[in-house]
């Protein structure tokens, strides 16, 4: 029998059976397992340090003999077959995995804490990265999407940076440009689909070349053809995949079927692929945009189209812009002295389609990704603290393994394997947390950011998660490896306990980690605090009306079934029945629903402003918002009348009148009163002058964070005889103390009784309407607030952990201090002082970092500065309070140390 074999058997007789099994036949692991067993049974009869040392000596001798024998065999026969590299690697991996799993199972508390801590960091990063990937990184779902551009018009004198394009401008640009492979146009609205019950899907009226420009054909049926947009063409439509599934049950025979759209029999000619959309408008129904060449000259002021172009191969954005400038320079030659584009007052602009869609949220999402990276760093700092503490308890194990011949690389691989096991578990749990969080986030805020339909946990996101986990596993191996520095092996074998110089260094490292955690948490909490304060400021903005106890829904009357007088009569019957509902205080109508609606920018004449005035001497006679309202709208909405009066019942049959808001009065009348002045909306040459009878308080129309804009209020009941039309789409507002759930069945009953073919659209409370208008800032505030709370909790755990370790490490010192006369208050102050010092240093560093980093939030804030002292003061108080709570528990633990027991046990 060889010397190695005899030594191993001698060692095996010294080891308990379960220890031999733990070693799995590997002498090095068996010695380590013996050491762990001895440590676990310390103080029991028959287990002494000398016995452990004997085992280590025997094991070391056995390893040396085994290595000598192996070297002799190699020298004796160099041709002896070697084990393959891959086989050895797999064998080592199997052993490392087995040892790692058993080691982690023996310490379930440590394993649970590390997995959950890391899972929170990975889960948060995965969720936010999935949003960043779906919105920013993923290309648009069209062939060669980088060649798609978005074309809009600009009116610098009216402060309109992106506006619609008129049909003549579209046709002329399409024909005269020299850089586009194709150009299509579309206009978005809604249409009534005659189903049971009737619905009101979002509809896009598109030119036939739009689908060709986007490069996406229907999945069933055919695309639109040029003949479909000709005057008098038979009505046709294309369904979205989602509407096909929801409204027609996915019936494959739907192509060729006739349905009622806006009360007109329309043939379905195609179905688009799943997820197909334009500019994130959530379009579900597509119909041709009719272009009548004979009517184009008269539609130059009719801006209602957005354009999408596809650059020809090899054409750059700079070339496209240069071509546009060429067209702007001579556009007037097409129609002299008319409303045509020009280089100064009526421009066109070209933007990459993707940049126009997501450019407004790019900064916010990058900030969120940076914030969630901070959370991961804090989690990793916590894990580093845990690993250092665990490495302190395993330092003797590392020393024995090194003494038995294990190289630093071999031990590093073992530690990385342990880290890999934990990281994989954390990645699995984190992915589940990310999926749940992402689902909840997109359910609560589906329209807060563009392209939410494309946000998912795809392979790219899962690859990112795996990469984060692998990096963390590598860190798992690096941190404990510091215990194997030069000279640490002998020191670890000699040290039986107590506080060594190396331990002091590691305590300093852990303290630095805690300071870093607190600093990162301060920066996140400061950013979240600024967004929260900004959001509170938004919600406290005076909207100009009382939104309490208001409910609303929209009614659309098809023009082919209701002429203007019939529309007015229908609205009168509807309001009468709504007011008769028990509990309803009042009901009214408005064509535009505040606080967020599209701008109208309608030409309007003011009698006192001459038409031949020099350019720039008076504001352009253009009103931001026209609003058709019913008689009781002002009272129902709770809008104060600043001057004059509101509409009254005699106005129904009296001379045409109008109301204006404060902003319009200031802009067009300056210091004079507008009451009694005359204004003429641009309805046509036969439109009479309207007398202004009242000035209303400004009501937000362009958004909570925007100015009110100029507003002209028209009495809808007068419009059929004044302008020959009535608003066919009206928002109903009902004031009642009853909840919407109680009112909704009554609303549906009344609408069904008046016209069963009309759907009720967007039934909501006014609080919900206002909430939807601030969906994006609410989304950012909520997400950053959750991240800040998570970071704060992790920093508190880190502070608690370092202080708990400090109490354990200095237990003997504390016992001696108490034995020498230190009272509990002094011990409490010792530990509290240490914890508050670390937290204070982290707080100071974090405030300095927050002052610099929060400046990137400037564009996202409303009525608050990035260095707002109130917010930073509140952050200081919150961090100090959390730090105090984290310090108190270990401090009280220290006061309960029994000096007699500590001194007796040495």
């Amino acid at each position: 029998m060889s010397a190695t074999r005899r030594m191993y058997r001698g060692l095996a007789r010294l080891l308990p059976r379960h220890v031999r099994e733990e070693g799995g036949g590997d002498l090095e692991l068996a010695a380590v397992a013996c050491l762990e067993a001895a440590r676990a049974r310390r103080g029991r009869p028959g287990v002494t340090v000398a016995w452990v040392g004997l085992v280590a000596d025997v094991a070391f001798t056995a390893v040396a003999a085994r290595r000598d024998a192996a070297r002799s065999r190699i020298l004796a026969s160099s041709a002896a077959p070697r084990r393959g590299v891959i086989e050895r690697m797999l064998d080592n991996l199997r052993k490392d995995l087995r040892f790692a799993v058993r080691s982690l199972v023996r310490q379930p508390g440590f394993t649970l804490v590390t997995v959950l801590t890391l899972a929170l960091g990975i889960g948060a990063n995965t969720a936010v990265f999935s949003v960043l990937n779906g919105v920013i990184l993923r290309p648009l779902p069209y062939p060669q999407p980088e060649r798609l551009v978005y074309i809009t018009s600009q009116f610098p004198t009216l402060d309109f940076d992106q506006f619609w394009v008129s049909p003549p401008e579209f046709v002329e640009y399409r024909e005269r440009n020299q850089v586009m492979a194709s150009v299509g146009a579309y206009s978005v609205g809604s249409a009534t689909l005659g189903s049971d019950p009737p619905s009101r899907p979002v509809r896009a009226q598109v030119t036939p070349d739009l689908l060709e420009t986007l490069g996406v054909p229907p999945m069933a049926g055919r695309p639109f053809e040029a003949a479909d947009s000709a005057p008098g063409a038979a009505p046709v439509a294309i369904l979205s995949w989602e509407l096909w599934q929801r409204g027609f049950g996915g019936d494959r025979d739907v192509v060729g079927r006739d349905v009622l759209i806006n009360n007109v029999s329309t043939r379905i000619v195609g179905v688009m692929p799943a997820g197909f959309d334009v500019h994130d408008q959530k379009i579900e129904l597509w119909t041709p945009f009719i272009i009548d060449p004979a009517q184009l000259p008269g539609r130059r002021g009719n801006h209602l189209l957005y354009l999408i172009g596809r650059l020809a191969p090899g054409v750059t954005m700079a070339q496209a812009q240069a071509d546009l400038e060429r067209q702007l320079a001579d556009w007037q030659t097409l129609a002299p002295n008319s409303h045509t584009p020009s280089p100064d007052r009526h421009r066109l602009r070209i933007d990459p389609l993707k940049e126009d869609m997501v450019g407004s949220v790019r900064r916010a999402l990058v900030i969120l990704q940076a914030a969630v990276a901070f959370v991961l760093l804090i989690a990793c700092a916590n894990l580093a603290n845990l690993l250092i503490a665990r490495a302190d308890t395993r330092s003797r194990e590392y020393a024995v393994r090194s003494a038995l011949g294990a190289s630093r690389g071999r031990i590093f691989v073992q530690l990385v394997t342990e880290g890999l096991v934990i990281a994989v578990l954390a990645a699995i749990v984190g992915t589940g947390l990310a999926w749940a969080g992402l689902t909840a986030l997109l359910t609560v805020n589906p329209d807060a950011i563009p392209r939410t339909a494309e946000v998912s946990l795809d392979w790219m996101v899962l690859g990112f998660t795996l990469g984060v986990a692998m990096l963390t596993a590598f860190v798992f191996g690096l941190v404990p490896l510091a215990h194997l520095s030069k000279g640490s092996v002998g020191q670890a074998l000699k040290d039986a306990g107590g506080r060594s110089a190396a331990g002091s260094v590691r305590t300093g490292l852990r303290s630095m980690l805690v300071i870093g955690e607190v600093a990162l948490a301060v920066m996140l909490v400061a950013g979240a605090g600024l967004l929260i304060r900004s959001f509170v400021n938004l919600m406290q903005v005076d909207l100009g009306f009382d939104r309490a106890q208001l409910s609303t829904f929209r009614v659309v009357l098809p023009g082919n079934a209701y002429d203007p007088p019939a529309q007015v009569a229908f609205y009168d019957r509807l309001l009468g029945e709504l007011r008769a509902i028990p509990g309803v205080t009042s009901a009214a109508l408005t064509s535009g629903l505040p606080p967020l609606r599209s701008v109208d920018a309608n030409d309007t004449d003011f009698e006192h402003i001459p038409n031949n005035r020099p350019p720039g001497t008076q504001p352009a006679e253009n009103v931001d918002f026209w609003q058709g309202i019913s008689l009781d709208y002002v009272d129902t909405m709770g809008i104060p009348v600043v001057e004059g009066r509101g509409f009254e019942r005699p106005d129904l049959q009296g001379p045409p009148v109008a109301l204006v808001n404060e902003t319009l009065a200031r802009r067009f009348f300056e210091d004079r009163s507008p009451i009694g002045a005359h204004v003429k909306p641009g309805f046509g040459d036969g439109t009479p002058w309207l007398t202004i009878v009242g000035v209303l308080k400004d009501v937000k129309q362009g958004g909570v964070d925007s100015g009110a804009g100029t507003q002209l209020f028209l009495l809808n009941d007068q419009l059929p005889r004044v302008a020959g039309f009535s608003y066919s789409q009206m928002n109903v507002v009902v004031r009642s103390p009853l909840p919407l759930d109680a009112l909704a069945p009554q609303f549906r009953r009344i609408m069904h009784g008046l016209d069963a073919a009309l759907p009720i659209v967007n039934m909501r409370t006014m609080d919900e309407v206002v909430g939807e208008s601030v969906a994006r800032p609410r989304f950012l505030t909520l997400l950053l607030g959750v991240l800040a709370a998570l970071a704060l909790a992790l920093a508190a755990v880190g502070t608690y952990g370092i202080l708990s370790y400090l109490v354990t490490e200095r237990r003997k010192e504390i016992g001696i201090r108490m034995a020498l006369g230190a009272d509990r208050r002094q011990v409490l102050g010792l530990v509290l002082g240490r914890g508050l010092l670390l937290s204070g240093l982290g707080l100071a560093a974090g405030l300095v970092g927050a002052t610099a980093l929060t400046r990137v939030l400037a564009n996202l804030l409303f009525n608050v500065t990035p260095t707002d002292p109130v917010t930073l003061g509140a952050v200081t108080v919150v961090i100090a309070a959390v730090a105090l709570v984290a310090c108190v528990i270990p401090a009280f633990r220290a006061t309960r140390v029994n000096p007699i027991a500590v001194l007796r046990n040495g």
Side-chain angles (χ1 to χ4, degrees):
M1 181 180 296
S2 66
T4 303
R5 196 74 169 170
R6 287 195 299 273
M7 284 293 182
Y8 180 75
R9 286 194 172 183
L11 174 64
R13 284 194 294 271
L14 293 174
L15 301 179
R17 179 179 178 184
H18 73 279
V19 174
R20 294 198 303 271
E21 293 176 350
E22 193 73 27
D26 189 299
L27 192 59
E28 177 191 324
L29 296 183
V32 173
C34 175
L35 182 64
E36 292 180 353
R39 185 184 299 115
R41 299 176 59 191
R42 183 171 295 155
R44 298 184 185 180
V47 179
T48 65
V49 174
W51 181 79
V52 174
L54 176 61
V55 171
D57 289 341
V58 172
F60 183 81
T61 303
V63 170
R66 184 171 62 184
R67 288 180 175 172
D68 290 341
R71 188 178 296 112
S72 299
R73 288 196 301 272
I74 293 174
L75 292 175
S77 177
S78 59
R82 300 180 181 182
R83 296 175 63 191
V85 175
I86 296 180
E87 183 181 352
R88 288 198 303 273
M89 291 176 60
L90 292 176
D91 186 54
N92 288 337
L93 178 61
R94 177 183 57 81
K95 292 179 181 179
D96 289 342
L97 284 173
R98 184 176 62 183
F99 185 76
V101 171
R102 289 179 176 177
S103 176
L104 295 174
V105 169
R106 283 197 302 270
Q107 294 180 301
F110 168 82
T111 304
L112 181 63
V113 170
T114 53
V115 168
L116 288 181
T117 301
L118 186 57
L120 288 173
I122 290 179
N125 270 269
T126 301
V128 174
F129 180 75
S130 65
V131 175
L132 183 69
N133 176 57
V135 176
I136 304 295
L137 301 181
R138 183 180 294 173
L140 297 180
Y142 312 114
Q144 297 179 303
E146 69 283 355
R147 290 170 51 197
L148 293 175
V149 296
Y150 191 59
I151 305 171
T152 54
S153 62
Q154 291 179 307
F155 291 89
T157 59
L158 300 177
D159 294 328
F160 295 150
D161 194 45
Q162 281 190 307
F163 203 68
W164 295 282
V165 176
S166 70
E169 292 166 358
F170 158 64
V171 173
E172 290 160 0
Y173 178 82
R174 182 181 60 183
E175 294 175 351
R176 298 173 62 233
N177 86 86
Q178 300 173 1
V179 294
M180 299 290 174
S182 61
V183 182
Y186 70 97
S187 174
V188 178
S190 59
T192 300
L193 180 62
S195 54
D196 189 17
S199 60
R200 187 79 183 172
V202 177
R203 176 184 67 160
Q205 293 178 279
V206 304
T207 59
D209 37 18
L210 179 70
L211 298 183
E212 175 190 349
T213 300
L214 294 174
V216 180
M219 60 165 285
R222 65 169 178 86
F224 293 134
E225 300 171 349
D228 294 327
S229 62
V236 294
I238 295 177
L239 305 177
S240 71
W241 185 89
E242 290 75 16
L243 181 59
W244 175 52
Q245 292 291 322
R246 186 181 70 251
F248 299 90
D251 185 0
R252 294 189 175 275
D253 295 330
V254 71
V255 175
R257 183 184 304 177
D258 292 334
V259 297
L260 286 179
I261 298 178
N262 284 345
N263 210 32
V264 175
S265 179
T266 306
R267 175 152 300 181
I268 298 174
V269 296
V271 178
M272 296 305 296
F276 179 75
D277 199 2
V278 176
H279 214 284
D280 202 46
Q281 299 280 352
K282 297 178 174 55
I283 300 168
E284 294 189 316
L285 185 64
W286 310 77
T287 59
F289 184 83
I290 305 300
I291 295 181
D292 187 352
Q295 296 181 357
L296 283 180
R299 302 187 67 181
R300 288 201 171 272
N302 188 11
H303 291 262
L304 76 166
L305 295 174
Y306 288 124
L307 276 55
I308 293 180
R310 178 174 289 275
L311 296 176
V315 174
T316 65
M317 282 295 299
Q319 291 172 320
Q321 186 63 44
D323 181 72
L324 177 60
E325 297 297 332
R326 174 190 62 79
Q327 294 185 68
L328 289 172
D330 61 0
W331 213 308
Q332 270 286 322
T333 60
L334 299 178
N337 302 319
S338 65
H339 183 77
T340 55
S342 62
D344 51 354
R345 303 175 66 86
H346 179 185
R347 297 184 53 81
L348 264 65
R349 61 176 287 177
I350 299 179
D351 299 281
L353 180 60
K354 182 178 178 181
E355 183 62 28
D356 187 82
M357 289 179 61
V358 305
S360 60
V361 298
R362 185 187 303 276
R363 174 188 288 266
L365 292 182
V366 171
I367 289 173
L368 285 176
Q369 188 63 58
V372 82
F374 278 16
V375 173
L376 183 61
L377 286 176
I378 295 173
C380 288
N382 264 350
L383 290 176
N385 268 328
L386 286 171
L387 291 172
I388 293 173
R390 187 168 184 252
D392 282 342
T393 65
R394 298 179 67 183
S395 59
R396 194 171 179 86
E397 170 196 332
Y398 301 148
V400 171
R401 295 183 66 174
S402 182
L404 293 177
S407 65
R408 288 167 57 88
R410 183 70 183 85
I411 296 177
F412 173 69
V413 171
Q414 174 62 57
L415 294 174
V416 169
T417 304
E418 290 185 17
L420 182 63
V421 173
I422 290 179
V424 168
L425 292 175
I428 294 173
V429 176
T431 301
L433 292 176
W435 177 84
L438 197 62
T439 302
L441 200 63
L442 297 181
T443 300
V444 174
N445 297 278
D447 301 320
I449 55 176
R451 304 186 68 188
T452 52
E454 299 178 57
V455 174
S456 63
L457 296 179
D458 60 11
W459 288 108
M460 185 173 180
V461 174
L462 295 179
F464 169 82
T465 303
L466 182 62
V468 171
M470 294 301 102
L471 179 62
T472 308
F474 183 76
V475 174
F476 262 98
L478 283 181
V479 174
L481 202 63
H483 288 72
L484 297 178
S485 60
K486 186 176 181 180
S488 64
V489 174
Q491 185 66 36
L493 289 173
K494 288 188 295 181
D495 290 341
R499 193 177 182 211
S500 64
S504 299
V505 172
R506 290 191 291 273
T507 300
L509 175 60
R510 297 187 68 193
S511 298
M512 293 299 296
L513 289 172
V514 169
I515 293 173
E517 287 183 59
V518 174
L520 291 173
V522 168
M523 287 185 273
L524 275 182
V525 174
L530 289 171
L531 284 180
I532 289 172
R533 184 148 190 225
S534 177
F535 186 73
V536 170
N537 290 342
L538 274 176
M539 297 307 294
Q540 290 178 344
V541 167
D542 184 4
L543 301 177
F545 65 94
D546 179 12
R547 67 175 185 262
Q549 299 184 350
L550 280 181
S551 301
T552 180
F553 61 90
R554 188 154 48 99
V555 176
V556 183
L557 301 180
N560 57 359
Y562 293 87
D563 60 12
Q567 291 174 357
V568 171
F570 178 91
Y571 292 141
D572 287 341
R573 293 196 304 272
L574 174 61
L575 291 178
E577 296 201 27
L578 290 174
R579 292 167 185 150
I581 298 176
V584 170
T585 305
S586 60
L589 301 169
T590 176
S591 60
L593 191 66
L596 181 62
R597 51 179 289 213
S598 298
V599 67
D600 296 322
N602 289 320
D603 291 335
T604 308
D605 290 333
F606 291 85
E607 190 177 34
H608 67 286
I609 299 178
N611 292 330
N612 59 352
R613 68 190 187 280
T617 59
Q618 292 281 351
E621 292 182 278
N622 190 277
V623 174
D624 296 328
F625 301 98
W626 284 358
Q627 196 158 338
I629 61 176
S630 64
L631 197 63
D632 296 332
Y633 174 75
V634 174
D635 293 335
T636 301
M637 293 289 287
I639 302 173
V641 178
V642 176
E643 185 181 1
R645 64 175 177 85
F647 291 135
E648 297 177 349
R649 188 159 296 278
D651 295 327
L652 295 177
Q653 303 300 326
V657 292
L659 305 175
V660 298
N661 72 331
E662 295 172 289
T663 298
L664 185 146
R666 286 193 300 268
R667 181 174 300 177
F668 292 102
F669 295 92
E670 298 179 349
D671 297 331
R672 59 174 286 193
S673 172
I675 302 300
H678 296 94
V679 61
K680 182 190 292 185
F683 293 136
D685 295 336
T687 304
W689 290 94
L690 281 63
T691 303
I692 298 174
V693 297
V695 179
L696 304 182
K697 180 179 178 179
D698 282 342
V699 175
K700 295 287 186 180
Q701 301 285 346
V704 176
D705 57 346
S706 301
T710 54
Q711 299 173 49
L712 178 68
F713 296 89
L714 308 170
L715 184 57
N716 191 61
D717 298 74
Q718 286 188 340
L719 290 179
R721 61 186 175 89
V722 169
F725 90 101
S726 167
Y727 283 97
S728 60
Q729 299 189 32
M730 294 292 270
N731 297 281
V732 180
V733 287
V734 177
R735 183 170 293 278
S736 172
L738 298 176
L740 181 58
D741 289 343
L743 294 171
Q746 300 282 3
F747 294 165
R748 295 190 181 94
R749 176 186 59 80
I750 290 172
M751 282 294 297
H752 189 273
L754 293 175
D755 190 336
L758 297 179
I760 288 183
V761 184
N762 289 344
M763 188 185 301
R764 300 164 291 173
T765 66
M766 191 58 73
D767 285 332
E768 292 174 334
V769 174
V770 174
E772 291 171 6
S773 71
V774 293
R776 181 168 298 175
R778 180 178 59 196
F779 171 83
L780 298 176
T781 302
L782 174 64
L783 197 52
L784 194 57
V786 170
L787 295 178
L790 181 58
L792 196 58
L794 290 173
V797 170
T799 304
Y800 170 82
I802 183 63
L803 291 181
S804 296
Y805 175 76
L806 182 67
V807 170
T808 302
E809 185 185 48
R810 302 178 66 179
R811 181 182 176 86
K812 186 174 181 178
E813 175 191 340
I814 293 172
I816 294 173
R817 285 175 178 268
M818 297 181 71
L820 293 177
D823 58 18
R824 295 182 182 274
R825 184 188 306 171
Q826 291 173 316
V827 173
L828 186 67
L830 174 69
V831 180
L832 272 178
R834 174 72 173 179
L836 294 179
L837 174 63
L838 295 178
S839 300
L841 292 174
L843 177 60
L847 288 175
V848 173
T851 302
L853 292 181
T854 52
R855 296 184 186 276
V856 302
L857 294 174
N859 292 339
L860 306 176
L861 302 179
F862 179 74
N863 287 348
V864 62
T865 63
T867 56
D868 177 52
V870 175
T871 302
L872 295 181
V875 169
T876 301
V877 171
V878 170
I879 295 293
V882 172
L884 182 62
V885 172
C887 296
V888 163
I889 299 176
F892 274 105
R893 263 185 52 206
T895 63
R896 293 197 296 269
V897 170
N898 188 338
I900 298 177
V902 170
L903 295 176
R904 180 185 298 123
N905 294 332

